Amino acid sequence: MQFSSCMSLVLLILTTHLFIPSLAEQCNPYDKNTLLQIKKELGNPTKLSSWNPTTDCCDNWYGVSCDYNTWLYRVIHLGLDNLDLPQPVQIPPSVTNLPFLLCLSLDNNPNLVGTILPTIANLTNLEYFFLSHTSISGEIPNTLSKNKRLIDLDFSNSKLTGPLPATLPSLPVISGIIFDGNKLTGTIPESYGSFPNSFTVLSLSHNRLSGKIPASLAKLNLLFVELEGNMLEGDASVFFGSKKSTFKILLGNNSFSFDIGKVGLSEDLRALDLSNNKIYGSLPESLIKLKYLHELNVSNNNLCGQIPQGGKMKRFDKSSYANNKCLCGSPLQGCKA
Ligand SMILES: *[C@@H]1O[C@H](CO)[C@@H](O)[C@H](O)[C@H]1NC(C)=O
Ligand SMILES: *[C@@H]1O[C@H](CO)[C@@H](O)[C@H](O)[C@H]1NC(C)=O
Ligand SMILES: *[C@@H]1O[C@H](CO)[C@@H](O)[C@H](O)[C@H]1NC(C)=O
């Protein structure tokens, strides 16, 4: 899954201020100098040809938008997606000189290399930080927990390594971490059970995470749980519960082993993928009550007993259930009397 970039936030601002005539230059001169420095640090990509020193940086510079609400016109959004960077460059160090920045997005820049600089901590207003589909490597710094206003982090499909930063749960309004498609290692920290109530998206699929899920995570009420394609093991029942509002639970291609017959299911559940694990027990009868279920795959586990019949269960074919220990009933063969 992926959050939107800064640009969708920018549109909101532009449309409410489109008809205000601008005669004098609004751009803050300090921010303008910083942006021109950032352009240099990025190797003067053609995509930034609109960043012309003779024009107003708040007026149609690619990816830039200023704060019209306070009349200070400081740069608050920097959406540098799809820059077609001519050569490998790191995250421009000068971004930390834009103190009013709320959103920094550098998505879809395969030539963006290097690490996430600890000086990002200086951006004390930062709420959205997107680095998906880049070549950013190294560890995710624990210092991100100093950016107290962070809401969404999307670092998916990049080249990050090392452990999950244990300090992120101290961010008071964090809503989601999307770190899937990297090479992260180690376990899910015990501290992840203490994310604030605002936290609803845990997306860590296709990494190299291992070990057990801490029991502390049972406290979370997540909308999206995406852990596919890791080396996680043991009990993942902490993510279930009939009182939760979970939409999606994707646990495929791990080594989870627990009794699925004992879990409660969120009424909002739309997608459940447990394929290629060592999960046992029989499928919960409450599956037939799920109004929105449209994706189900429990194949390649150790499940037994009758497949619940009715409701949305009718739409799934054999491939959703194949290769279990003794699962039976439609669409598999009938159960022995
Ligand atoms: C960023 O913070 C460090 C200390 O954490 C400080 O030394 C540095 O001057 C700051 N940089 C900017 C651009 O504010
Ligand atoms: C599991 O791995 C197989 C083989 O690589 C792949 O085809 C399948 O899509 C994966 N399933 C999930 C849920 O990631
Ligand atoms: C379920 O997962 C198995 C194994 O990854 C895959 O072969 C099969 O196509 C999947 N079925 C559905 C309906 O997604």
Side-chain angles (χ1 to χ4, degrees), residues 15 43 82 145 334:
T15 48
N82 304 296
S145 64

Side-chain angles (χ1 to χ4, degrees), residues 252-253 273-276 294-300 315-323:
N253 289 349
D273 193 330
L274 306 176
S275 62
N276 301 309
H294 64 77
E295 188 186 332
L296 177 73
N297 198 337
V298 301
S299 68
N300 301 293
R315 63 167 64 182
F316 307 114
D317 66 16
K318 281 180 190 169
S319 82
S320 289
Y321 304 104
N323 299 317

Side-chain angles (χ1 to χ4, degrees), residues 143-160:
T143 48
L144 283 173
S145 64
K146 294 185 185 162
N147 299 77
K148 288 296 175 208
R149 300 200 179 165
L150 277 176
I151 295 173
D152 290 334
L153 292 173
D154 184 348
F155 300 161
S156 58
N157 300 300
S158 289
K159 296 185 175 163
L160 295 162

Side-chain angles (χ1 to χ4, degrees), residues 25-287:
E25 172 150 343
Q26 294 171 330
C27 183
N28 176 285
Y30 176 82
D31 287 353
K32 188 179 204 173
N33 274 339
T34 302
L35 290 170
L36 292 170
Q37 182 61 30
I38 288 171
K39 181 177 174 180
K40 207 183 286 173
E41 287 167 358
L42 288 167
N44 293 310
T46 331
K47 269 281 173 72
L48 298 185
S49 56
S50 59
W51 291 24
N52 178 340
T54 65
T55 61
D56 186 343
C57 83
C58 295
D59 186 21
N60 282 321
W61 279 30
Y62 179 86
V64 176
S65 80
C66 301
D67 185 3
Y68 292 92
N69 296 318
T70 62
W71 309 101
L72 289 171
Y73 306 114
R74 300 304 296 258
V75 171
I76 54 170
H77 293 159
L78 197 53
L80 302 177
D81 307 334
N82 304 296
L83 286 180
D84 301 321
L85 293 166
Q87 75 257 341
V89 288
Q90 53 176 339
I91 298 174
S94 295
V95 292
T96 60
N97 294 330
L98 293 172
F100 288 76
L101 215 53
L102 298 180
C103 181
L104 175 59
S105 179
L106 290 153
D107 288 342
N108 301 312
N109 285 304
N111 254 344
L112 194 69
V113 298
T115 60
I116 301 172
L117 310 167
T119 50
I120 291 289
N122 293 34
L123 293 174
T124 52
N125 290 301
L126 197 64
E127 297 178 355
Y128 302 91
F129 188 17
F130 305 135
L131 287 174
S132 77
H133 298 273
T134 70
S135 300
I136 293 290
S137 59
E139 296 190 4
I140 303 172
N142 263 305
T143 48
L144 283 173
S145 64
K146 294 185 185 162
N147 299 77
K148 288 296 175 208
R149 300 200 179 165
L150 277 176
I151 295 173
D152 290 334
L153 292 173
D154 184 348
F155 300 161
S156 58
N157 300 300
S158 289
K159 296 185 175 163
L160 295 162
T161 53
L164 289 166
T167 56
L168 295 184
S170 72
L171 292 167
V173 291
I174 186 83
S175 148
I177 57 174
I178 306 204
F179 296 162
D180 52 277
N182 283 284
K183 293 172 188 167
L184 301 173
T185 52
T187 58
I188 296 179
E190 178 77 36
S191 62
Y192 278 27
S194 55
F195 269 112
N197 289 336
S198 53
F199 187 73
T200 55
V201 179
L202 180 67
S203 183
L204 304 172
S205 296
H206 308 296
N207 277 288
R208 293 167 188 176
L209 300 170
S210 57
K212 297 197 162 115
I213 309 292
S216 59
L217 271 68
K219 281 177 281 184
L220 304 177
N221 184 4
L222 299 172
L223 297 180
F224 298 92
V225 181
E226 305 188 1
L227 299 175
E228 295 165 301
N230 281 286
M231 298 173 283
L232 296 162
E233 59 182 59
D235 190 358
S237 64
V238 292
F239 296 118
F240 294 82
S242 56
K243 298 214 172 75
K244 298 193 183 192
S245 350
T246 315
F247 280 53
K248 231 182 200 192
I249 301 181
L250 308 180
L251 305 176
N253 289 349
N254 280 285
S255 294
F256 287 120
S257 167
F258 61 97
D259 186 348
I260 194 67
K262 297 214 171 108
V263 303
L265 299 175
S266 149
E267 285 175 12
D268 296 319
L269 201 62
R270 282 144 169 83
L272 179 62
D273 193 330
L274 306 176
S275 62
N276 301 309
N277 279 285
K278 297 167 186 166
I279 297 166
Y280 54 89
S282 53
L283 289 171
E285 199 57 36
S286 54
L287 276 167

